[in-house]
Each structure stands twice: as structure tokens, then as C-alpha cells.
Amino acid sequence: MSDVLVVNGGAPLKGEVTVRGAKNLVSKAMVATVLGESRSRMFDVPRIRDVEIVTGLLELHGVKVTPGEHDGELVFDPSNVERAGVDEINVHAGSSRIPILLCGPLLHRLGHAFIPELGGCNIGGRPIDFHLEALRRFGAVVDKAPEGLHLSAPDGLHGIKYHLDYPSVGATEQILLAAVRAKGVTELSNAAVEPEIIDLICVLQKMGAIIKVHTNRVIEIEGVPRLGGFVHRPIPDRIEAASWASAALATKGDIFVRGARQADMMTYLNVFRSIGGEFEVDDSPSGGGIRFWHPVGDLRAVALETDVHPGFMTDWQQPLVVALSQANGLSVVHETVYENRFGYTEALAQMGANIQVYQDCLGGTPCRFGRMGFRHSAVIAGPAKLHAHDLIIPDLRAGFSHLIAAMAAEGRSRVHGVDLINRGYENFEGKLTALGADIAR
Ligand code: EPU
């Protein structure tokens, strides 16, 4: 099938979509199954490419992954975890960032791990120095080879005291997954505490881990010799939910996002309301969600900066910027998590959006990217009429923002590389069609 989507934009998106388990929890919980000695079950697993990639990696290592009896349920049987060949694993090279998280689980189960070259969105350098430093401190021997990373743990893994220079989500997960079965206690300070991390801790606790989350980003993990399986319903995908909310604003639409949960989205909801967007939380017992809609009047500009939890998520930024291009006045967005996450604004500018990006830390506190030459602040002047354009999808979240812009623009846009969006948005074409979008491959 062609990966070009023809979008006839200009109509409001209206209707209902459902979000399932969060991509950034589901993929990590799947990795955690390797640590257990019995079967695990997970519900509400979205049908997205990242889940397929992790399924492939688990299967290569002997984990049996089968569908459960409910729609969206997967069952994992890790009783025959085994070493996989470098060539087989390398089929997944460059496809995702999740493989790096297999280090701890594979070292505990097999005493060895091979990690292929990582993929993921091109939104900055995305180093893994925290991961490797922590693993070495746990006792792993890391050998960097041209084909990937070989790790071994001749004396097993032992608990550590570790301070993260920045509260990295991935490095926090790495340390959790290594520490739960390490000998002794691990104390991690300046940890990330995103809801997806707390949900991963819930998964590990169900498996038998002992993890205490203290105040001030300190997490203490008491290693245990053995873990079992888990049965888990993941937190809903708050990035996807916010993407649809921003799509409602940008297209002057009205979207009920079934499954969206207020507690995970408070910071987004505050900004949404400041802009003038309307929302209503439905907590009905039949399975609630949040309805997001465009007000009758104009939208208002805002100043915001992305940050670690409980700040405004970096992944909420791109779709919201499309909505801000339709707001009255000057909006300022300061990106403090990734140094290179505004590349997508060039395409929006070609569509008529008025956006300039700057190297300075605009509108907020100076961040670690200030004076480093990265264009990590954006000023958006609105409202600007968007017109159709040919677009090439650069990465997942930017890609969704391109799609929204094409929906909001008058005329026919051709969006190239849309398959990338399947990495994180389940059935996005079906959902767009249900919302009244005029699209065709
Ligand atoms: N960092 C380092 N060294 C490290 C690790 C991270 O300097 O060893 C830096 C990064 O370069 C970045 C910052 O720390 O500047 C934050 O990175 P983090 O490790 O928190 O990000 P991640 O774990 O690679 C996850 C999500 C991202 C999301 C970020 C921030 C997954 C698979 N990815 O990435 O989601 O933006 O946390 O919340 O969970 C997406 O879903 O599209 C996506 C990119």
C-alpha cells in the first residue's frame, strides 16, 4: 500500500475516538515480562508498530507471546528465555529505542545481552550514557562492537547508589529493570516520575519487586532473587489523547476521547483551557473519557515550556503548536527536554503558519540547551490561514502534527511517509475517517 495519504482539509474533526494502553508503558511492561518466571497478561494493548517490534524481540529470546481471550489482551510466557543470535536481533536494528531496556532483564535471566543499534525519533542526540554508566556500576561489562553492544555480568548485578544528572525516563526505567533482581538495595536520586514510570513500578510490584518512591525524586529498590508474572491494565495513552484534543482545537472540531484520564493530563488541560479550548471530563461507569472542543470565539496565545513530569510533556508540544498557529497573538514555546524538536515547524511555515525558532531560552527559565546553539524556542504568531501542501513525515509526533495541519488547511495535501504514524497511533486512519476526515491512500 502506498504510504502517501491524500488529505482534503478544511473540515472540523467531530466524533469519538478511543485510546488504549500507553505506548510508553506497554512496551516497557512487555520487557519486564522477561524478568518473571511465570506468565504475564496485559490488557488494552494497542495495535501499533512499536508493540510488534518488541513482540518480535521477545519471541527471538524465547518468550511466547499469544493473544488472550479479550480484544487487546496479550499473554507472555517467559519460561524458556534463551539467547538469540546477533544476526536475528539485528533485523530490529534502528527500529526502536526499547531494545536498550532489555539489558537488565537479559543479564538476570541469561548473564548476557546483545543490544542492536537503537532507533526512535530523530529529535536530538539521544545519548545512552546514563544507561551504560549505571549498568557498569551494577556490575555489567559493556563491550561496544560495530554490530551493537555486548553485555555480560560475570559476578551478577549488585545494587547501587546512583544520581541521574537529568531525570531521564529511559534511564530510570533501565535502573528499575536492573535493580529489581540485583543483590542488595539500589537508591536512585533525581529519577523520572512520569505516570508511565509509576505504572511500570506497579507492574514490577505485582511481579514481587519491592520499590519505594520517596519524595524529591528518590526511588529505592530492594532487590529480590525471584519475580513472578503480572496481570495488568496499563494507563491510557495520554500523548495520543492530547494529540486528538489538539486536533479538535486546530480544526475547530469536537472530539470525545474515550479512555482519556484527567489525572494524567492535568497540565495539558490547564494549557488547553488557557488557550480557550473547552473540555468536559466524563467519569461515567460505562468507561469515561474527555470531550474536547473548540469554543465559539477565538483562541488565545500562551507561553509554555516543556518539562519532565509534572510539567508540560514534550510529546504534547507538536500537535498543540498547530492549534497555537490559529490562536490570536504571540505564543511562545520553550522546549527543554530535547534540543532538536522544532524541525517540523518548517513544514508548518510552508503551509502559512507564522513560526520562528530561536536559540535562546524564551519565555521561561534558562535550560541546559541555552547558549549551545540549538534552536529550541518557538514563537508562533496567529491566527494564520493554513493552505494545503505536500508534506514528508519526519518522526512520530511531528508527523501527527503535520497530519493535523493538513486537516486544518483548506485544499488537498499529500502527506508522504504516513506509515511512521503507525508506530504510536493505533488505526489512525480509521479514527480520522470516523471523525469525518476526507482522506485516501
Ligand atoms: N538523556 C541523556 N542521557 C541518557 C538518556 C537521556 O542525556 O542516557 C537526555 C536525552 O538526550 C533527552 C533527555 O535526557 O534530552 C530526556 O530523555 P529521556 O531519556 O527522558 O527520553 P526517552 O526515555 O528516550 C521517553 C519517551 C519519549 C518521550 C521522553 C520524555 C519512550 C519510548 N520514549 O524517551 O517519547 O518524549 O521519554 O518524556 O518512552 C514518543 O513517544 O514519541 C517519544 C519520543
Side-chain angles (χ1 to χ4, degrees):
M1 190 160 50
S2 144
D3 79 344
V4 181
L5 196 69
V6 178
V7 176
N8 286 306
L13 294 177
K14 288 189 173 174
E16 177 175 322
V17 293
T18 299
V19 293
R20 298 220 263 191
K23 157 179 141 343
N24 290 347
L25 173 277
V26 168
S27 49
K28 325 296 173 61
M30 288 174 76
V31 169
T33 63
V34 176
L35 285 164
E37 282 165 23
S38 43
R39 289 189 338 159
S40 292
R41 283 165 67 202
M42 189 155 42
F43 304 109
D44 247 353
V45 177
R47 263 187 223 97
I48 52 173
R49 180 82 188 112
D50 270 21
V51 166
E52 282 172 21
I53 294 168
V54 184
T55 300
L57 275 166
L58 293 185
E59 286 175 340
L60 279 179
H61 288 94
V63 179
K64 231 172 114 191
V65 185
T66 46
E69 56 188 278
H70 305 98
D71 178 40
E73 177 185 343
L74 287 182
V75 180
F76 305 85
D77 182 353
S79 40
N80 292 310
V81 169
E82 60 188 8
R83 205 163 154 163
V86 167
D87 291 344
E88 294 170 292
I89 299 176
N90 259 333
V91 169
H92 296 282
S95 59
S96 159
R97 302 196 69 69
I98 305 300
I100 190 71
L101 296 178
L102 277 162
C103 293
L106 289 178
L107 286 174
H108 284 302
R109 289 299 298 267
L110 304 170
H112 179 273
F114 170 71
I115 308 300
E117 187 203 329
L118 301 181
C121 296
N122 184 12
I123 48 185
R126 307 196 80 177
I128 50 166
D129 50 334
F130 303 158
H131 296 246
L132 298 186
E133 193 194 328
L135 285 164
R136 286 194 177 104
R137 299 264 303 276
F138 273 110
V141 177
V142 183
D143 178 19
K144 287 187 189 173
E147 70 274 16
L149 297 175
H150 292 273
L151 293 97
S152 58
D155 301 319
L157 301 183
H158 297 265
I160 55 172
K161 203 168 167 146
Y162 195 79
H163 178 86
L164 279 170
D165 285 344
Y166 184 81
S168 149
V169 169
T172 300
E173 292 160 345
Q174 180 76 265
I175 291 165
L176 284 169
L177 292 165
V180 280
R181 279 188 58 179
K183 282 202 188 78
V185 174
T186 293
E187 189 186 298
L188 172 62
S189 52
N190 205 25
V193 290
E194 268 60 13
E196 291 78 10
I197 299 224
I198 302 301
D199 210 32
L200 179 64
I201 292 176
C202 292
V203 165
L204 293 168
Q205 188 179 51
K206 284 173 173 170
M207 297 174 79
I210 303 172
I211 303 172
K212 296 174 199 153
V213 181
H214 296 293
T215 48
N216 299 333
R217 297 187 176 277
V218 174
I219 300 181
E220 190 185 317
I221 306 121
E222 213 176 293
V224 295
R226 211 157 282 110
L227 291 173
F230 63 83
V231 178
H232 193 66
R233 181 176 296 283
I235 56 163
D237 199 308
R238 62 194 176 119
I239 305 179
E240 182 179 355
S243 300
W244 292 116
S246 294
L249 265 198
T251 64
K252 295 196 162 70
D254 185 337
I255 302 180
F256 180 67
V257 185
R258 187 167 293 284
R261 207 168 64 177
Q262 181 187 15
D264 311 319
M265 298 186 68
M266 280 193 174
T267 310
Y268 180 86
L269 294 173
N270 285 334
V271 171
F272 193 85
R273 183 167 276 162
S274 306
I275 299 171
E278 307 263 5
F279 66 87
E280 189 175 62
V281 178
D282 172 358
D283 276 334
S284 59
S286 57
I290 307 180
R291 178 185 160 210
F292 298 93
W293 71 97
H294 188 284
V296 177
D298 291 343
L299 299 180
R300 296 183 290 271
V302 284
L304 67 92
E305 57 187 9
T306 63
D307 209 343
V308 294
H309 188 73
F312 191 92
M313 282 185 97
T314 167
D315 306 281
W316 287 335
Q317 176 260 100
Q318 304 81 346
L320 189 81
V321 162
V322 183
L324 291 178
S325 75
Q326 304 307 304
N328 251 334
L330 281 186
S331 292
V332 179
V333 179
H334 178 202
E335 169 63 57
T336 77
V337 180
Y338 288 111
E339 67 272 26
N340 191 17
R341 221 171 183 182
F342 280 125
Y344 72 95
T345 57
E346 255 175 58
L348 299 186
Q350 284 168 356
M351 298 178 79
N354 204 336
I355 306 180
Q356 304 273 4
V357 285
Y358 297 89
Q359 292 178 5
D360 314 72
C361 299
L362 292 184
T365 27
C367 77
R368 68 213 154 105
F369 305 137
R371 297 209 201 89
M372 284 171 74
F374 298 116
R375 305 206 303 165
H376 69 292
S377 291
V379 175
I380 305 120
K385 195 168 170 55
L386 299 182
H387 47 79
H389 206 274
D390 275 10
L391 301 162
I392 299 171
I393 300 270
D395 66 60
L396 182 59
R397 308 300 170 195
F400 197 84
S401 81
H402 283 183
L403 262 191
I404 298 178
M407 300 292 158
E410 291 285 342
R412 172 175 295 200
S413 297
R414 289 163 60 86
V415 189
H416 296 254
V418 281
D419 285 341
L420 236 170
I421 295 182
N422 290 316
R423 265 196 53 214
Y425 295 86
E426 180 179 44
N427 184 25
F428 72 92
E429 284 169 83
K431 289 180 185 175
L432 282 171
T433 306
L435 294 172
D438 180 354
I439 53 170
R441 284 269 180 168

